[in-house]
Amino acid sequence: MPEHTSDELTESEEQYRLLDTSGEPETSAEHLPFPTPTMGSDSANKSEERRGDKVAAYGALASMLIFVCVTWFIVFINNPTSTGWFAVHPLLQSLGIGCFTYGILTLQPTAHPKTKAAGFQRHQKTMLAVGFPCIALGTLAVEIHKFSEGHGHFVTWHGTLGLISVGWLVGQMILGGGSVWYGGAAFGGGMKAKMLWKYHRLSGYVLFPLLLMTAYLGGAWSTWATSHSPPVVRFVGYTVAPIVAILAIYARVRTSKMKFF
């Protein structure tokens, strides 16, 4: 078997070549097709984190942990088996949003080729293997519950924004995957596909607060939540925690990766 050298590209590294979306020619060492940084080079010495990035990451993860734990706590102390399929909905939706948060964080401050590729792999696995299936199954569960109970569908802002969010998620996956899988062949390959990644990135930063707004409306104001949990718990879990998560994620945004003009 031929020995794998440092000059060869793994599949994920080849895919991640499409993720630099500045639109400028790849002339710097950082933008070469995944070179091996040498001691003393700018690529090897470049820090991946700005001041405050690590604090923001911990803030986002801690707030999401609170959000998920509050949701699961409320469900499990209120006899979840008595609510049928409904109990599955908040459990899986909160877990899915938590996975999306991690998926965003793991890809944000990558500057070195190898860590870009590793972050990209974690991003895809977290989003596609766990996050989206949770959201899809959680949505299916609440729809089954509504059909079985004869309740109306999408009659509240929580339900309406939830429907919009799920549809947006599907488009987000198509745009993101299509721009990098198989060299971005779905969108013409090369720079044509590469230039779409920044729109995928921007779309995700708009979709993330929409998901949390949907969770806020359901967790803080729905009839079931208000009758089964105290106001202070809902305030911490569905108002404070989402706000902290959004601010932390936005604090780590690299606008240089989204040049539209």
Side-chain angles (χ1 to χ4, degrees):
M1 179 179 295
E3 183 180 358
H4 180 77
T5 67
S6 61
D7 293 332
E8 294 174 342
L9 300 180
T10 66
E11 181 179 357
S12 64
E13 289 171 342
E14 180 65 32
Q15 288 176 338
Y16 203 89
R17 292 181 64 187
L18 299 175
L19 301 191
D20 173 49
T21 56
S22 64
E24 299 297 328
E26 297 182 350
T27 55
S28 68
E30 181 186 354
H31 293 135
L32 290 175
F34 292 90
T36 303
T38 58
M39 291 300 295
S41 69
D42 291 339
S43 178
N45 296 328
K46 184 177 180 180
S47 174
E48 292 190 314
E49 293 185 342
R50 298 175 304 192
R51 187 173 184 178
D53 275 349
K54 187 169 292 186
V55 173
Y58 288 146
L61 292 173
S63 63
M64 278 296 101
L65 181 62
I66 292 172
F67 167 75
V68 173
C69 287
V70 164
T71 302
W72 284 52
F73 175 76
I74 293 173
V75 171
F76 279 108
I77 67 170
N78 285 287
N79 190 15
T81 57
S82 66
T83 61
W85 283 97
F86 170 77
V88 179
H89 176 68
L91 297 178
L92 290 183
Q93 304 304 81
S94 61
L95 182 59
I97 293 175
C99 289
F100 291 156
T101 304
Y102 174 76
I104 295 171
L105 288 173
T106 193
L107 199 55
Q108 277 185 320
T110 51
H112 303 161
K114 293 294 182 181
T115 54
K116 282 182 179 181
F120 179 56
Q121 280 195 330
R122 291 192 299 268
H123 175 80
Q124 287 199 112
K125 290 177 181 178
T126 304
M127 298 289 198
L128 300 180
V130 186
F132 183 75
C134 283
I135 295 294
L137 292 174
T139 302
L140 178 62
V142 77
E143 286 305 300
I144 293 174
H145 172 75
K146 286 180 178 291
F147 274 114
S148 63
E149 298 293 327
H151 296 164
H153 300 266
F154 314 115
V155 296
T156 64
W157 278 111
H158 172 69
T160 301
L161 291 182
L163 176 63
I164 294 172
S165 298
V166 172
W168 194 330
L169 275 171
V170 173
Q172 180 76 349
M173 289 193 306
I174 293 173
L175 180 61
S179 64
V180 294
W181 293 339
Y182 303 104
F187 296 115
M191 284 302 298
K192 290 181 180 179
K194 185 175 183 178
M195 293 301 292
L196 289 176
W197 181 262
K198 62 185 176 184
Y199 295 103
H200 170 75
R201 187 186 297 267
L202 177 63
S203 173
Y205 284 134
V206 178
L207 176 57
F208 183 67
L210 178 62
L211 288 167
L212 289 175
M213 173 60 73
T214 304
Y216 161 76
L217 292 174
W221 297 105
S222 70
T223 302
W224 188 88
T226 54
S227 60
H228 289 82
S229 58
V232 65
V233 173
R234 298 197 309 275
F235 177 72
V236 172
Y238 302 114
T239 301
V240 176
I243 289 175
V244 172
I246 293 171
L247 293 178
I249 289 291
Y250 280 7
R252 291 164 53 89
V253 170
R254 302 296 198 266
T255 56
S256 61
K257 296 178 180 290
M258 296 182 290
K259 294 180 180 179
F260 295 97
F261 304 102

Short mmCIF file of all heavy atoms in Angstrom, two decimals, residues 32-78:
data_model
loop_
_atom_site.label_atom_id
_atom_site.label_comp_id
_atom_site.label_asym_id
_atom_site.label_seq_id
_atom_site.Cartn_x
_atom_site.Cartn_y
_atom_site.Cartn_z
N LEU A 32 -3.13 27.98 -0.04
CA LEU A 32 -2.68 26.89 -0.89
C LEU A 32 -3.46 25.63 -0.52
O LEU A 32 -4.01 25.55 0.56
CB LEU A 32 -1.17 26.67 -0.70
CG LEU A 32 -0.29 27.78 -1.26
CD1 LEU A 32 1.17 27.51 -0.90
CD2 LEU A 32 -0.44 27.90 -2.78
N PRO A 33 -3.50 24.63 -1.41
CA PRO A 33 -4.31 23.44 -1.13
C PRO A 33 -3.73 22.59 -0.01
O PRO A 33 -3.10 21.56 -0.22
CB PRO A 33 -4.28 22.69 -2.47
CG PRO A 33 -3.04 23.13 -3.14
CD PRO A 33 -2.86 24.56 -2.73
N PHE A 34 -3.92 23.06 1.21
CA PHE A 34 -3.56 22.34 2.41
C PHE A 34 -2.08 21.94 2.46
O PHE A 34 -1.74 20.78 2.49
CB PHE A 34 -4.44 21.09 2.59
CG PHE A 34 -5.84 21.47 2.88
CD1 PHE A 34 -6.74 21.65 1.85
CD2 PHE A 34 -6.24 21.69 4.18
CE1 PHE A 34 -8.04 22.03 2.13
CE2 PHE A 34 -7.54 22.07 4.46
CZ PHE A 34 -8.44 22.24 3.43
N PRO A 35 -1.19 22.95 2.47
CA PRO A 35 0.23 22.64 2.63
C PRO A 35 0.52 22.26 4.07
O PRO A 35 -0.26 22.54 4.97
CB PRO A 35 0.91 23.96 2.27
CG PRO A 35 -0.09 25.00 2.70
CD PRO A 35 -1.44 24.39 2.42
N THR A 36 1.64 21.67 4.29
CA THR A 36 2.08 21.39 5.66
C THR A 36 2.88 22.57 6.15
O THR A 36 3.97 22.85 5.62
CB THR A 36 2.94 20.12 5.71
OG1 THR A 36 2.20 19.04 5.17
CG2 THR A 36 3.36 19.82 7.13
N PRO A 37 2.38 23.32 7.17
CA PRO A 37 3.10 24.50 7.64
C PRO A 37 4.46 24.12 8.18
O PRO A 37 4.63 23.08 8.82
CB PRO A 37 2.19 25.05 8.76
CG PRO A 37 0.84 24.44 8.50
CD PRO A 37 1.12 23.13 7.89
N THR A 38 5.43 24.95 7.94
CA THR A 38 6.78 24.72 8.43
C THR A 38 7.05 25.66 9.58
O THR A 38 6.42 26.71 9.72
CB THR A 38 7.81 24.96 7.32
OG1 THR A 38 7.66 26.30 6.83
CG2 THR A 38 7.59 23.99 6.17
N MET A 39 7.99 25.30 10.43
CA MET A 39 8.34 26.13 11.56
C MET A 39 8.78 27.50 11.08
O MET A 39 9.58 27.62 10.16
CB MET A 39 9.47 25.47 12.36
CG MET A 39 9.03 24.20 13.07
SD MET A 39 7.69 24.51 14.25
CE MET A 39 8.55 25.55 15.42
N GLY A 40 8.22 28.51 11.70
CA GLY A 40 8.58 29.87 11.35
C GLY A 40 7.72 30.48 10.28
O GLY A 40 7.86 31.66 10.00
N SER A 41 6.88 29.67 9.62
CA SER A 41 6.03 30.22 8.57
C SER A 41 4.87 30.96 9.18
O SER A 41 4.46 30.71 10.31
CB SER A 41 5.52 29.10 7.67
OG SER A 41 4.60 28.29 8.37
N ASP A 42 4.25 31.89 8.42
CA ASP A 42 3.10 32.64 8.90
C ASP A 42 1.93 31.72 9.17
O ASP A 42 1.18 31.92 10.11
CB ASP A 42 2.69 33.70 7.86
CG ASP A 42 3.72 34.80 7.74
OD1 ASP A 42 4.51 34.95 8.69
OD2 ASP A 42 3.73 35.49 6.70
N SER A 43 1.78 30.68 8.32
CA SER A 43 0.65 29.77 8.49
C SER A 43 0.78 28.99 9.78
O SER A 43 -0.20 28.72 10.46
CB SER A 43 0.57 28.80 7.30
OG SER A 43 -0.49 27.88 7.46
N ALA A 44 2.01 28.59 10.12
CA ALA A 44 2.21 27.80 11.33
C ALA A 44 2.02 28.64 12.57
O ALA A 44 1.59 28.15 13.61
CB ALA A 44 3.60 27.18 11.31
N ASN A 45 2.41 29.93 12.49
CA ASN A 45 2.39 30.77 13.68
C ASN A 45 1.09 31.53 13.86
O ASN A 45 0.84 32.10 14.91
CB ASN A 45 3.54 31.79 13.61
CG ASN A 45 4.90 31.10 13.65
OD1 ASN A 45 5.04 30.05 14.27
ND2 ASN A 45 5.88 31.69 12.99
N LYS A 46 0.25 31.56 12.84
CA LYS A 46 -0.98 32.34 12.90
C LYS A 46 -1.94 31.79 13.95
O LYS A 46 -2.26 30.60 13.95
CB LYS A 46 -1.66 32.35 11.53
CG LYS A 46 -2.90 33.22 11.49
CD LYS A 46 -3.47 33.24 10.08
CE LYS A 46 -4.72 34.11 10.01
NZ LYS A 46 -5.28 34.14 8.65
N SER A 47 -2.40 32.63 14.83
CA SER A 47 -3.36 32.20 15.84
C SER A 47 -4.74 32.08 15.23
O SER A 47 -5.16 32.91 14.43
CB SER A 47 -3.40 33.21 16.99
OG SER A 47 -4.43 32.88 17.91
N GLU A 48 -5.45 31.03 15.62
CA GLU A 48 -6.79 30.82 15.09
C GLU A 48 -7.84 31.60 15.88
O GLU A 48 -8.96 31.74 15.42
CB GLU A 48 -7.14 29.33 15.13
CG GLU A 48 -6.32 28.51 14.17
CD GLU A 48 -6.85 27.10 14.04
OE1 GLU A 48 -7.15 26.48 15.07
OE2 GLU A 48 -6.97 26.63 12.90
N GLU A 49 -7.52 32.09 17.04
CA GLU A 49 -8.49 32.74 17.89
C GLU A 49 -8.13 34.21 18.11
O GLU A 49 -6.97 34.56 18.28
CB GLU A 49 -8.59 32.04 19.25
CG GLU A 49 -9.17 30.64 19.16
CD GLU A 49 -9.37 30.03 20.54
OE1 GLU A 49 -8.75 30.53 21.50
OE2 GLU A 49 -10.13 29.07 20.65
N ARG A 50 -9.16 35.03 18.09
CA ARG A 50 -9.00 36.42 18.49
C ARG A 50 -9.23 36.51 19.99
O ARG A 50 -9.76 35.59 20.61
CB ARG A 50 -10.01 37.30 17.76
CG ARG A 50 -9.85 37.31 16.25
CD ARG A 50 -10.95 38.10 15.59
NE ARG A 50 -12.28 37.60 15.95
CZ ARG A 50 -13.40 37.96 15.34
NH1 ARG A 50 -13.36 38.81 14.34
NH2 ARG A 50 -14.56 37.47 15.72
N ARG A 51 -8.90 37.63 20.54
CA ARG A 51 -9.14 37.83 21.97
C ARG A 51 -10.64 37.78 22.24
O ARG A 51 -11.42 38.47 21.60
CB ARG A 51 -8.57 39.19 22.40
CG ARG A 51 -8.62 39.42 23.89
CD ARG A 51 -7.89 40.70 24.25
NE ARG A 51 -7.83 40.90 25.68
CZ ARG A 51 -7.21 41.92 26.27
NH1 ARG A 51 -6.59 42.83 25.50
NH2 ARG A 51 -7.19 42.03 27.58
N GLY A 52 -11.05 36.97 23.17
CA GLY A 52 -12.45 36.84 23.52
C GLY A 52 -13.16 35.68 22.85
O GLY A 52 -14.28 35.33 23.24
N ASP A 53 -12.53 35.07 21.84
CA ASP A 53 -13.16 33.96 21.14
C ASP A 53 -13.44 32.79 22.06
O ASP A 53 -14.50 32.15 21.99
CB ASP A 53 -12.29 33.50 19.97
CG ASP A 53 -12.54 34.32 18.71
OD1 ASP A 53 -13.51 35.09 18.69
OD2 ASP A 53 -11.76 34.19 17.75
N LYS A 54 -12.47 32.46 22.90
CA LYS A 54 -12.63 31.30 23.77
C LYS A 54 -13.73 31.54 24.80
O LYS A 54 -14.53 30.65 25.09
CB LYS A 54 -11.30 30.98 24.47
CG LYS A 54 -11.33 29.69 25.28
CD LYS A 54 -9.93 29.30 25.73
CE LYS A 54 -9.08 28.90 24.54
NZ LYS A 54 -7.75 28.36 24.97
N VAL A 55 -13.79 32.75 25.35
CA VAL A 55 -14.84 33.09 26.30
C VAL A 55 -16.21 32.99 25.64
O VAL A 55 -17.18 32.47 26.22
CB VAL A 55 -14.62 34.51 26.87
CG1 VAL A 55 -15.81 34.93 27.74
CG2 VAL A 55 -13.33 34.57 27.68
N ALA A 56 -16.28 33.49 24.40
CA ALA A 56 -17.54 33.43 23.66
C ALA A 56 -17.96 31.98 23.40
O ALA A 56 -19.14 31.63 23.50
CB ALA A 56 -17.42 34.18 22.34
N ALA A 57 -17.00 31.13 23.08
CA ALA A 57 -17.30 29.72 22.83
C ALA A 57 -17.84 29.06 24.09
O ALA A 57 -18.84 28.32 24.04
CB ALA A 57 -16.05 28.99 22.35
N TYR A 58 -17.19 29.31 25.22
CA TYR A 58 -17.67 28.75 26.48
C TYR A 58 -19.07 29.29 26.82
O TYR A 58 -19.92 28.56 27.32
CB TYR A 58 -16.70 29.07 27.62
CG TYR A 58 -15.40 28.31 27.56
CD1 TYR A 58 -14.20 28.89 28.00
CD2 TYR A 58 -15.35 27.01 27.06
CE1 TYR A 58 -13.01 28.19 27.94
CE2 TYR A 58 -14.16 26.31 27.00
CZ TYR A 58 -12.99 26.90 27.45
OH TYR A 58 -11.80 26.20 27.39
N GLY A 59 -19.28 30.56 26.52
CA GLY A 59 -20.59 31.15 26.78
C GLY A 59 -21.69 30.50 25.95
O GLY A 59 -22.79 30.22 26.45
N ALA A 60 -21.38 30.26 24.67
CA ALA A 60 -22.36 29.63 23.79
C ALA A 60 -22.67 28.21 24.24
O ALA A 60 -23.84 27.79 24.30
CB ALA A 60 -21.85 29.63 22.36
N LEU A 61 -21.63 27.45 24.58
CA LEU A 61 -21.83 26.07 25.00
C LEU A 61 -22.57 25.99 26.34
O LEU A 61 -23.47 25.16 26.52
CB LEU A 61 -20.48 25.35 25.11
CG LEU A 61 -19.75 25.10 23.78
CD1 LEU A 61 -18.36 24.54 24.04
CD2 LEU A 61 -20.55 24.17 22.90
N ALA A 62 -22.21 26.87 27.28
CA ALA A 62 -22.87 26.86 28.58
C ALA A 62 -24.34 27.24 28.46
O ALA A 62 -25.21 26.63 29.09
CB ALA A 62 -22.15 27.82 29.54
N SER A 63 -24.62 28.24 27.65
CA SER A 63 -26.01 28.66 27.48
C SER A 63 -26.84 27.58 26.82
O SER A 63 -28.01 27.36 27.18
CB SER A 63 -26.08 29.96 26.67
OG SER A 63 -25.56 29.77 25.37
N MET A 64 -26.26 26.88 25.86
CA MET A 64 -26.99 25.79 25.20
C MET A 64 -27.19 24.61 26.15
O MET A 64 -28.22 23.93 26.11
CB MET A 64 -26.25 25.33 23.95
CG MET A 64 -26.52 26.19 22.74
SD MET A 64 -28.28 26.14 22.22
CE MET A 64 -28.87 27.69 22.91
N LEU A 65 -26.21 24.37 27.01
CA LEU A 65 -26.37 23.31 28.00
C LEU A 65 -27.53 23.63 28.94
O LEU A 65 -28.34 22.75 29.28
CB LEU A 65 -25.07 23.14 28.80
CG LEU A 65 -25.07 22.04 29.87
CD1 LEU A 65 -25.30 20.68 29.22
CD2 LEU A 65 -23.75 22.05 30.64
N ILE A 66 -27.62 24.89 29.36
CA ILE A 66 -28.74 25.31 30.21
C ILE A 66 -30.06 25.17 29.47
O ILE A 66 -31.04 24.65 30.00
CB ILE A 66 -28.52 26.77 30.67
CG1 ILE A 66 -27.33 26.86 31.61
CG2 ILE A 66 -29.79 27.32 31.32
CD1 ILE A 66 -26.93 28.28 31.95
N PHE A 67 -30.08 25.61 28.21
CA PHE A 67 -31.29 25.52 27.39
C PHE A 67 -31.78 24.08 27.25
O PHE A 67 -32.96 23.77 27.45
CB PHE A 67 -30.98 26.12 26.01
CG PHE A 67 -31.99 25.84 24.95
CD1 PHE A 67 -33.22 26.49 24.93
CD2 PHE A 67 -31.72 24.92 23.94
CE1 PHE A 67 -34.16 26.23 23.93
CE2 PHE A 67 -32.64 24.66 22.95
CZ PHE A 67 -33.86 25.31 22.94
N VAL A 68 -30.87 23.16 26.94
CA VAL A 68 -31.24 21.75 26.77
C VAL A 68 -31.65 21.14 28.10
O VAL A 68 -32.67 20.43 28.19
CB VAL A 68 -30.07 20.96 26.15
CG1 VAL A 68 -30.39 19.46 26.13
CG2 VAL A 68 -29.79 21.46 24.74
N CYS A 69 -30.88 21.40 29.16
CA CYS A 69 -31.18 20.81 30.47
C CYS A 69 -32.52 21.31 31.01
O CYS A 69 -33.29 20.53 31.59
CB CYS A 69 -30.06 21.13 31.46
SG CYS A 69 -28.54 20.20 31.16
N VAL A 70 -32.81 22.60 30.85
CA VAL A 70 -34.09 23.13 31.30
C VAL A 70 -35.23 22.44 30.56
O VAL A 70 -36.24 22.05 31.17
CB VAL A 70 -34.15 24.66 31.08
CG1 VAL A 70 -35.59 25.17 31.18
CG2 VAL A 70 -33.28 25.37 32.11
N THR A 71 -35.08 22.28 29.26
CA THR A 71 -36.13 21.65 28.46
C THR A 71 -36.37 20.21 28.91
O THR A 71 -37.51 19.79 29.14
CB THR A 71 -35.75 21.66 26.98
OG1 THR A 71 -35.55 23.00 26.55
CG2 THR A 71 -36.85 21.02 26.13
N TRP A 72 -35.30 19.45 29.03
CA TRP A 72 -35.44 18.04 29.43
C TRP A 72 -35.96 17.93 30.86
O TRP A 72 -36.76 17.03 31.17
CB TRP A 72 -34.10 17.32 29.27
CG TRP A 72 -33.77 17.02 27.84
CD1 TRP A 72 -33.76 17.89 26.78
CD2 TRP A 72 -33.42 15.75 27.29
NE1 TRP A 72 -33.42 17.26 25.61
CE2 TRP A 72 -33.20 15.94 25.89
CE3 TRP A 72 -33.25 14.48 27.83
CZ2 TRP A 72 -32.83 14.90 25.05
CZ3 TRP A 72 -32.87 13.43 26.98
CH2 TRP A 72 -32.67 13.65 25.61
N PHE A 73 -35.54 18.83 31.73
CA PHE A 73 -36.01 18.82 33.12
C PHE A 73 -37.52 19.04 33.17
O PHE A 73 -38.25 18.31 33.86
CB PHE A 73 -35.28 19.90 33.91
CG PHE A 73 -35.77 20.07 35.32
CD1 PHE A 73 -35.43 19.15 36.31
CD2 PHE A 73 -36.58 21.15 35.67
CE1 PHE A 73 -35.89 19.30 37.61
CE2 PHE A 73 -37.04 21.31 36.95
CZ PHE A 73 -36.70 20.39 37.94
N ILE A 74 -38.00 20.05 32.45
CA ILE A 74 -39.43 20.34 32.46
C ILE A 74 -40.23 19.16 31.92
O ILE A 74 -41.29 18.80 32.48
CB ILE A 74 -39.72 21.61 31.62
CG1 ILE A 74 -39.13 22.84 32.29
CG2 ILE A 74 -41.23 21.79 31.41
CD1 ILE A 74 -39.24 24.11 31.45
N VAL A 75 -39.76 18.55 30.87
CA VAL A 75 -40.49 17.43 30.27
C VAL A 75 -40.53 16.24 31.23
O VAL A 75 -41.60 15.66 31.47
CB VAL A 75 -39.86 17.01 28.93
CG1 VAL A 75 -40.47 15.70 28.42
CG2 VAL A 75 -40.05 18.11 27.89
N PHE A 76 -39.39 15.89 31.80
CA PHE A 76 -39.32 14.66 32.59
C PHE A 76 -39.95 14.78 33.97
O PHE A 76 -40.29 13.75 34.57
CB PHE A 76 -37.87 14.19 32.69
CG PHE A 76 -37.41 13.45 31.47
CD1 PHE A 76 -36.50 14.02 30.60
CD2 PHE A 76 -37.89 12.18 31.18
CE1 PHE A 76 -36.08 13.35 29.46
CE2 PHE A 76 -37.48 11.50 30.04
CZ PHE A 76 -36.57 12.08 29.19
N ILE A 77 -40.11 15.97 34.51
CA ILE A 77 -40.78 16.09 35.81
C ILE A 77 -42.30 16.18 35.66
O ILE A 77 -43.02 16.26 36.65
CB ILE A 77 -40.29 17.32 36.60
CG1 ILE A 77 -40.69 18.62 35.90
CG2 ILE A 77 -38.80 17.23 36.86
CD1 ILE A 77 -40.44 19.86 36.75
N ASN A 78 -42.77 16.16 34.40
CA ASN A 78 -44.21 16.30 34.17
C ASN A 78 -44.80 15.06 33.47
O ASN A 78 -45.65 15.18 32.60
CB ASN A 78 -44.48 17.56 33.33
CG ASN A 78 -44.35 18.83 34.15
OD1 ASN A 78 -45.21 19.13 34.98
ND2 ASN A 78 -43.27 19.56 33.93
#
